[in-house]
Amino acid sequence: MLIKPPPELPPSEITPRKLFEARRSFLAHTALGLTAGAALWHGLPVHAASRLDGRPSPHSTTEPLTAHKAVTGYNNFYEFGTDKADPARHAAKMQVRPWTLRVEGLAARPRSFDLDDVLKLAPLEERIYRLRCVEGWSMVIPWLGFPLAAVLKEVEPLGSAKYVEFVSHYDPAIMLRRPVLDWPYREGLRLDEALHPLTILALGLYGEALPNQNGAPLRLVVPWKYGFKSAKSIVAIRLVEHQPATAWNLAAPQEYGFYSNVNPQVAHPRWSQASERRIGELRKRPTLMFNGYAEQVAGLYRGMDLAKEF
């Protein structure tokens, strides 16, 4: 995986929290919210229909947000190129409407969802999460989404389902920058990780529908794991009995484990994970165990040797 220093974003580019909260209040009072979200999927002009709103969540951090410009312009989405600016340059070619999400495998009621169906599953919430990249940089992002558990509940997982596999969209006609991985991109979680309240299916950020470069129209967000675990532009979710193969683990198993929990005590083979650089800040800060979500998720890994099962 390429390592490049993050951009030197001045503090003036960080969105003031008061400004962002005032904007959210405006959206609520102009009755956008879910209605506007539904309008988006019905093909209204982007400028009129890309706004979303979600109710506040107790799971959100109160840390300052990373600048919108950085969140939408500094991305890893290798299907569109390995430079951080490539996804914003090239992902607009990806068609995200109509979109079908298949949820299949070991389920009593496997089914497909279009985006209207997805939006009806649960109210949107604003989840302000820390995002820690395996490359050593981090962001704080105001996602809009709802617990992945709401989707899985709809299909009724069978008792034999132990893991969840996620498959991302892949169109070789527009995603041909480099053969970095074996496409389509695949990720996986244990079923209890997938059902955890912190794990969400996101459809927006910063009060708007997800930009293509951030994984439109829907993506996974698992805040206590390195960012590459949060698969983008998902087309299939599969309930399976055995641990699924994942894209980065297949490419370099010695560097990218299946769990990939943020862990400052376990170095990547080529660099330390003890500290990170928050985009927009000049100095590094210590990395927190499970990205600061240890109180909520450490119990999932009780009894495991996290140096071996990394």
Side-chain angles (χ1 to χ4, degrees):
M1 180 177 289
L2 297 177
I3 304 299
K4 290 187 176 182
E8 300 292 345
L9 291 177
S12 60
E13 291 193 13
I14 301 297
T15 302
R17 187 169 182 78
K18 286 185 178 179
L19 177 61
F20 180 62
E21 290 177 344
R23 183 167 174 274
R24 285 192 296 164
S25 176
F26 170 78
L27 292 175
H29 285 86
T30 52
L32 289 171
L34 282 174
T35 303
L40 169 65
W41 317 121
H42 287 294
L44 293 180
V46 172
H47 70 277
S50 63
R51 290 168 291 192
L52 293 172
D53 196 20
R55 62 188 185 186
S57 169
H59 298 298
S60 291
T61 177
T62 57
E63 294 176 65
L65 304 177
T66 299
H68 178 274
K69 180 179 179 181
V71 172
T72 58
Y74 189 77
N75 307 107
N76 281 330
F77 199 158
Y78 279 11
E79 290 90 326
F80 293 106
T82 53
D83 188 277
K84 293 291 185 292
D86 280 341
R89 280 196 290 258
H90 304 298
K93 301 173 184 175
M94 180 172 59
Q95 297 296 316
V96 298
R97 293 191 299 274
W99 193 271
T100 300
L101 171 67
R102 306 188 313 276
V103 186
E104 55 197 22
L106 300 173
R109 301 172 61 235
R111 57 172 289 196
S112 295
F113 301 83
D114 62 25
L115 290 174
D116 284 329
D117 296 330
V118 172
L119 282 166
K120 293 174 184 173
L121 292 177
L124 288 181
E125 301 175 19
E126 183 183 71
R127 296 286 187 99
I128 304 175
Y129 281 163
R130 291 178 288 274
L131 171 72
R132 171 61 154 81
C133 180
V134 71
E135 298 169 344
W137 53 267
S138 63
M139 295 182 178
V140 177
I141 301 173
W143 301 105
L144 288 158
F146 56 79
L148 175 66
V151 179
L152 298 178
K153 180 182 175 183
E154 285 293 311
V155 302
E156 299 179 10
L158 301 178
S160 54
K162 307 299 182 188
Y163 293 88
V164 185
E165 179 185 35
F166 303 88
V167 182
S168 294
H169 173 68
Y170 182 63
D171 181 352
I174 60 171
M175 295 171 163
L176 39 67
R177 293 294 156 183
R178 283 188 187 182
V180 181
L181 297 171
D182 184 15
W183 313 117
Y185 193 86
R186 298 174 188 275
E187 258 306 336
L189 296 173
R190 248 177 20 203
L191 182 59
D192 57 347
E193 296 176 320
L195 293 173
H196 193 279
L198 289 183
T199 304
I200 64 170
L201 197 63
L203 294 95
L205 56 77
Y206 254 108
E208 299 176 346
L210 277 178
N212 282 14
Q213 62 267 31
N214 291 92
L218 48 86
R219 61 170 293 169
L220 185 68
V221 181
V222 192
W224 71 93
K225 294 179 178 286
Y226 292 118
F228 68 86
K229 292 293 290 184
S230 295
K232 299 180 177 72
S233 303
I234 297 171
V235 294
I237 297 175
R238 294 172 181 155
L239 290 150
V240 297
E241 182 174 2
H242 302 290
Q243 182 175 300
T246 64
W248 279 109
N249 185 243
L250 282 172
Q254 72 282 11
E255 298 191 1
Y256 306 105
F258 175 80
Y259 286 96
S260 292
N261 294 314
V262 175
N263 189 341
Q265 301 167 16
V266 177
H268 185 280
R270 289 182 282 138
W271 60 85
S272 169
Q273 295 288 18
S275 63
E276 65 194 60
R277 190 168 193 174
R278 180 69 51 82
I279 299 296
E281 296 180 351
L282 298 178
R283 295 183 177 178
K284 288 189 175 183
R285 59 170 64 200
T287 288
L288 301 175
M289 187 67 197
F290 296 114
N291 202 22
Y293 299 95
E295 183 177 350
Q296 296 97 322
V297 304
L300 295 174
Y301 311 102
R302 189 169 293 118
M304 292 174 58
D305 183 342
L306 298 183
K308 295 180 179 177
E309 297 182 274
F310 61 92

